[in-house]
Amino acid sequence: MEYRAPRQLPATSKHFVGRAGELARLTGLASAPHGRGSRICVIEGPPGVGKTSLATRWAHDLADRFFPDGQIYLDLHGFTPGRSALDRERAVLALLSALRVAPDAVPHDADSRTALFRDLTHDRALLLILDNARDSGQVEPLLPGSRTCFVLVTSRRRPAALQALYGAEVLRLTPLARAESLELFESYLGAELAESPAVELLAEKCADLPLAVSITAASALHHSGMDLDRFAEDVRDGDLHLGSPAFDVPAVDLRAVVASSYDLLSAGAARALRLTSLYPGDSFDTRAAAALSGLSVPETDAHLHELSSHNLLLVESGRYRFHDLLRIFARERCDDLDLETDRRTALAGFLDYALHAAFRADRYLNPHRSPITVPAPPEGVALPVVGGYAAAAAWFTAEITALLAAARVAFDQGALVHAWMIPWTTVNFLHLQGRWQDLVDCLTVALAAVGSLGDVIAENRVLQSLARAYDEMGQPERAAEHYSLALVNHSRSGDTNGVANCLNGRAGSHLRAGRVEDALADARAALDTYTDRDDLVGQASTTNLLGRVHTASGSPNLAVALHGRAHRIFKRVGDRYGQAQTLDALGLTLSALGRHRAAAVCHGRAIALHEELGNTAHLVRSRNWITRALDRVGSGAWTPGPPAAAPRGDGEREGSR
């Protein structure tokens, strides 16, 4: 498969001044011969000093020159308020995803995943930016083994272990020189206004921290004609402590700087800043902010524009996010000024928005999945405009971090219905992305919620989705256990559709565990039930699964007929996901018969559908299969790998179907 270089650098601010010495040092390190000098550099310094800005500005300027094989950016969230630091498992999975590794090709144990990452980066001229690292221990497992890669780390702590063990260079970033602070003021205010003596005083009060200078300058710019002398005097001395003594920067009161800009805000914008600090994701759009504030989209948009003009929110491509320190400040203000009932109302508004927006988007990802019955949306909630599959996938991509966090927020708030329904809406997207651990985590919260509710029907749905996730994680025994639990509940309640779905899913688990006879028995029973119910999608799914079972049991000719029958049904009902899975399964069976050219045709058609659907969890695997088939055209017969390597899109209909 052709290598496609990752290009993940975030946007940079146009207001960037100084740092000439630091930029030159980074360039010198990156341009040194690979056998000399360190290939790891840590930009270390206090919050607000511009570590990330320096790293991304330098990377944008020199990416094509030094790193033609790509640039990977990963926020480790070492100091992000309200979020746990990214653990090794998720960090390595994110790096493998950036390198476009198919989820099913990712090893199940952590050491093997790390080894795969190092193998894939060997001899590649890659830049890896690990932003916001908590300490050396968080970074060490993520280091490539190759000296052709260059690793740039930003952290608030001195990385002693990286220096001692790996010879990392440390670039200690200090506040700007006074002339650079004045230049930064000028970039905002213009030369004439920046000549005011008050600007020198403001630079002193900001202690030349780029974050503080940018906030102050933006506020002054936003209020044209304001008295700069009076504004400068309003910035009072005080303590910096915004959540941790480690944040201290001598001679600067960042809280006072931020507070002075905050005091210039309209009441509506100040309230929006406080309430949006409750948002559990990394970035948000206007509609999500409107849900938190309880205002209309136009009103909210005006408030967010005011906040971004003061540099109290960062904006990129229509989405807003906080600097870590500003989120702490806003959360402190929210706790001090907003009643607990107001905060709970804001979170309830967000949870309603998250549920209904995700439910609507999920119906575009998989309209064939049996829907749940969600409560009616509150009057006036502004849901996103999602007009099709691609738009729905893009919306989930932007919002998935918040949706995963929303499950826990809902559970903690006692909103148990939201705590299981929001995870349900994420199942299809997380399957497409191959994010199995995230799926297990949020569904575990959902299972606790339905247990508290005593809702057996909801419990069965969650159990089946969990089973599918465990199957994808290579734990078919655990998956079969969850399917069996749900099967008992469905049988007691007389839910024949649920019984069929569980039998179908458990058959797939048995097949992956090598229990072919058990798989055959469950699949036949599921097909009988789907036929009695006249459920065409269920019939197609189980027929395709039976084809896989017969391939595994040594009857590939019968399997070809079954796959063909399943594909015709999927095509008749317009299920493109099912068509893609069936084509891949048929391709594997044809290869088992030595018909490699026909197999390649099937995989090629499946690839086109996977690309159309954005199904990254299966796309790379299909490309590998077509490559293997083409390599064997004209050669001897080839037998496919074990059942666990086969397509997984059928056999677990309620998991994501």
Side-chain angles (χ1 to χ4, degrees), residues 223 262-272 274 302-303 306-307 310:
H223 294 270
Y262 173 85
D263 290 341
L264 294 172
L265 296 173
S266 66
R271 177 177 178 272
R274 299 194 304 269
H303 294 328
E306 182 179 345
L307 292 171
H310 281 262

Side-chain angles (χ1 to χ4, degrees), residues 354-387:
L355 171 60
H356 292 284
F359 179 79
R360 174 185 290 187
D362 178 64
R363 300 311 295 161
Y364 284 104
L365 292 188
N366 185 7
H368 301 284
R369 184 188 188 196
S370 301
I372 58 176
T373 302
V374 299
E379 185 176 350
V381 63
L383 299 177
V385 179
V386 178

Side-chain angles (χ1 to χ4, degrees), residues 146-159:
S146 173
R147 294 186 65 82
T148 58
C149 296
F150 188 76
V151 182
L152 194 54
V153 181
T154 73
S155 182
R156 296 177 187 174
R157 295 177 178 171
R158 183 169 294 275

